Amino acid sequence: MADVVVVGSGVAGLRCALALADAGLRVTVLEAGEHAGGRAASWQDETTGMQVDAGPHVITSEHRNFLAMLRRLDTARQVQWQRRPIITLQDGKGMLRMHTLPLPSPLHGLPMLPNALRRLSVGDLWSHRRIAWQAARLNERSLRELDVEDANAHLREMGVRPAAIEWFWRSAVLALLNVPLEQCSAASMMRVFRLMLGRSGWHFGFPKLALAQLYVPGACRAVLRSGGQVLFGARVRQLRIGEGGIEGLEMEDGLSIGTRRCVLALPPQEVAKLAGGHAALQQLGTTAGYFRPAPYISTYLWYDRPVTHERFWARAWSPQGLNTDFHDLSKIRPALAGRNSVIACNAIGPMARADWPDGRIVEHTMGEVAEFAPMARQARVVHARVHRIPMAIPQMRPGMEALRPPPATAVQGLWLAGDWLDTALPCSMESAARSGAMAAEALLAAQGRPVSVSLPAPDTRGFVRWAMAR
Ligand SMILES: Cc1cc2nc3c(=O)[nH]c(=O)nc-3n(C[C@H](O)[C@H](O)[C@H](O)COP(=O)(O)OP(=O)(O)OC[C@H]3O[C@@H](n4cnc5c(N)ncnc54)[C@H](O)[C@@H]3O)c2cc1C
């Protein structure tokens, strides 16, 4: 019998299983699907033989728990970092390359001002003074008081002008939190803004390999080496809970697995289903049921020639737009260097138009690529794939930050992990990695073996930190 069962082999489940295996426990990982990785999975495209991800992901320099896992697995060098420009932004008026400088925050953002002034007036920028001061002075505890309000209302209340809201905030919130401004918790938005303002040096990175290759093989090997196992096609249907806590799991195929220690590393909808019918988990089941999914449509286009010189660009929100972020994998993955462009992009949340057939998604995406990269107008798409993803992350609507649960549950021997847990981070691979580490710490602490695996969420630095202390 295993020492611990971890249900779910996404980033959260594998981070947890790895930490437990490193602590010498025998871990059984149960995965409903045919491969590991969950929402950050990769698989082989049948036509081209290329490894594709569920959808293209970015890693940031602030993904400290995710990067710590990669360092542990010796794959951290497989991230391609981009410091200059920090991002290339395309909007209805053209292209802007955004830069930062290695100066104490918030001065690092100064090089962005000339570009911002090409789209906004001095008055529009000046209208951010109150919200910037508020962001500088917030801490994780005080920002949660803003969870009652929506992001749009908060921006207006703080005097941010409509032009700035429409040009900057609408796109930023959709890209980073995957919900429209009007449906986003002001606390979730301010957490991200506080770090953008208060942390100099943050930048984006991209997996040089298929995303799952960064962490799935290494984590699974570590589990096997410590005497554990990873089982696929193993869907948990029900929890068996007795007076003394968790007793076991009923599987969809009728099998029963006994365990006294279990981590559910699952999305909220799955936790809601499994918690249902257990009096001790009634509160958790109700809470988990409140989380609504933000869907994605990720499109891959294989061109017959190189069409860009760019690795990554973002498209500002517009009512007619579809995709938000574009990645040319031939400029990111060394194995594809010098080859024809493979563009991967994401249509997020309300932009993921479920009623559009694949052909229309592909055609519209080709149009958006050609608007950015004129070379694409002469090029032919030789192959395309459209991935429809019902949930990329849970929506952080007003009130949802307060509902994010900790790893411990009301049932002895049962813990939770997953991007939606209370990690003080936006739902992401980093939140998933931190939650997995936190669940492992809680489990080991309950065994009288306290260890430190998780890294705290990043905090502000420079003048912004100074302002917080006033
Ligand atoms: C297209 C796309 C783009 C994204 N972009 C980014 C990005 O740029 N940066 C970033 O940081 N994050 C990004 N994310 C979000 C990120 O992928 C997720 O936050 C993260 O992967 C969630 O991991 P998790 O382990 O919490 O959950 P999951 O990945 O959902 O893992 C849960 C696992 O449990 C399994 N499971 C479910 N039910 C059962 C059951 N009953 N029994 C057994 N197993 C079960 C599932 O099959 C799954 O493998 C993106 C997501 C998508 C889809």
Side-chain angles (χ1 to χ4, degrees):
M1 185 165 146
D3 298 316
V4 185
V5 174
V6 173
V7 186
S9 73
V11 173
L14 289 183
R15 179 64 193 103
C16 182
L18 175 63
L20 296 172
D22 283 348
L25 299 190
R26 265 174 312 152
V27 186
T28 293
V29 179
L30 301 176
E31 167 55 50
E34 293 308 318
H35 50 240
R39 283 170 269 157
S42 313
W43 56 83
Q44 192 176 42
D45 173 64
E46 283 165 15
T47 310
T48 59
M50 199 183 111
Q51 287 282 323
V52 291
D53 305 332
H57 281 58
V58 294
I59 299 160
T60 77
S61 49
E62 309 305 321
H63 274 47
R64 352 162 98 183
N65 286 275
F66 186 72
L67 290 169
M69 172 166 71
L70 301 196
R71 278 194 295 276
R72 156 68 186 82
L73 298 172
D74 207 17
T75 54
R77 273 165 300 150
Q78 299 297 348
V79 178
Q80 168 101 260
W81 293 107
Q82 175 172 307
R83 286 190 169 77
R84 291 182 63 77
I86 190 151
I87 195 164
T88 302
L89 180 67
Q90 190 203 10
D91 65 7
K93 293 186 177 160
M95 193 202 301
L96 300 170
R97 284 182 203 283
M98 299 298 204
H99 291 276
T100 55
L101 274 177
L103 291 174
S105 62
L107 302 178
H108 65 285
L110 281 179
M112 295 202 215
L113 284 185
N115 268 337
L117 284 168
R118 289 167 66 189
R119 299 293 187 266
L120 299 172
S121 69
V122 172
D124 294 336
L125 293 184
W126 184 240
S127 74
H128 286 87
R129 64 193 180 282
R130 272 182 67 207
I131 202 161
W133 181 243
Q134 182 190 47
R137 303 205 30 153
L138 285 171
N139 56 30
E140 182 57 31
R141 195 170 43 81
S142 58
L143 74 76
R144 288 178 188 221
E145 287 163 21
L146 302 175
D147 191 32
V148 291
E149 211 178 348
D150 77 68
N152 189 43
H154 188 65
L155 288 165
R156 285 171 193 273
E157 201 180 289
M158 297 305 284
V160 179
R161 285 197 182 166
I165 295 180
E166 290 310 310
W167 182 72
F168 173 71
W169 289 99
R170 198 164 283 291
S171 297
V173 164
L174 185 67
L176 297 167
L177 296 159
N178 300 181
V179 272
L181 265 181
E182 292 76 7
Q183 290 163 32
C184 181
S185 157
S188 309
M189 174 186 74
M190 289 303 282
R191 179 188 284 131
V192 175
F193 181 43
R194 178 174 172 263
L195 291 179
M196 279 162 72
L197 195 72
R199 273 188 91 76
S200 166
W202 60 266
H203 50 277
F204 294 118
F206 313 91
K208 290 188 200 171
L209 307 168
L211 177 62
Q213 291 298 317
L214 295 183
Y215 70 100
V216 167
C220 291
R221 267 197 306 272
V223 168
L224 299 183
R225 261 201 305 266
S226 70
Q229 51 183 344
V230 183
L231 302 177
F232 297 103
R235 178 177 289 279
V236 174
R237 187 175 53 82
Q238 216 175 331
L239 307 177
R240 196 149 32 84
I241 296 171
E243 300 241 311
I246 186 86
E247 290 179 349
L249 306 165
E250 305 297 336
M251 307 301 292
E252 200 170 57
D253 61 9
L255 282 179
S256 183
I257 296 178
T259 184
R260 305 298 307 211
R261 285 180 218 92
C262 174
V263 179
L264 299 180
L266 299 172
Q269 299 82 349
E270 283 297 316
V271 169
K273 271 192 243 161
L274 293 177
H278 296 288
L281 294 178
Q282 197 184 346
Q283 177 66 41
L284 173 64
T286 309
T287 302
Y290 285 132
F291 287 80
R292 296 271 165 276
Y296 266 45
I297 293 182
S298 301
T299 304
Y300 283 77
L301 303 179
W302 282 260
Y303 281 89
D304 67 349
R305 67 194 75 180
V307 298
T308 65
H309 300 293
E310 210 79 28
R311 203 181 269 148
F312 167 63
W313 72 95
R315 192 181 158 93
W317 178 87
S318 75
Q320 303 77 30
L322 177 66
N323 296 288
T324 300
D325 51 314
F326 299 77
H327 310 233
D328 188 342
L329 302 183
S330 73
K331 304 286 181 293
I332 294 175
R333 295 191 190 176
L336 301 177
R339 303 243 206 114
N340 298 335
S341 288
V342 181
I343 305 284
C345 46
N346 290 312
I348 298 177
M351 310 306 286
R353 297 184 168 88
D355 55 329
W356 284 18
D358 285 6
R360 186 166 174 198
I361 300 270
V362 168
E363 206 177 307
H364 201 99
T365 301
M366 286 168 63
E368 291 187 347
V369 173
E371 270 177 45
F372 178 83
M375 283 190 284
R377 290 190 194 132
Q378 276 76 49
R380 215 163 48 84
V381 168
V382 292
H383 176 54
R385 284 265 180 234
V386 175
H387 300 166
R388 293 172 189 268
I389 301 149
M391 183 177 85
I393 56 170
Q395 296 179 9
M396 282 297 135
R397 289 176 292 134
M400 299 311 290
E401 287 287 350
L403 296 181
R404 296 174 77 175
T409 71
V411 170
Q412 199 175 337
L414 185 68
W415 291 269
L416 299 175
D419 60 350
W420 60 292
L421 264 78
D422 186 6
T423 55
L425 291 161
C427 296
S428 58
M429 293 190 290
E430 168 59 5
S431 179
R434 180 156 200 247
S435 75
M438 286 162 63
E441 284 171 347
L443 190 151
L444 289 166
Q447 286 196 299
R449 301 177 53 193
V451 293
S452 174
V453 193
S454 69
L455 297 169
D459 208 347
T460 53
R461 292 192 289 224
F463 294 129
V464 175
R465 180 144 199 90
W466 171 86
M468 197 176 90
R470 298 301 95 199

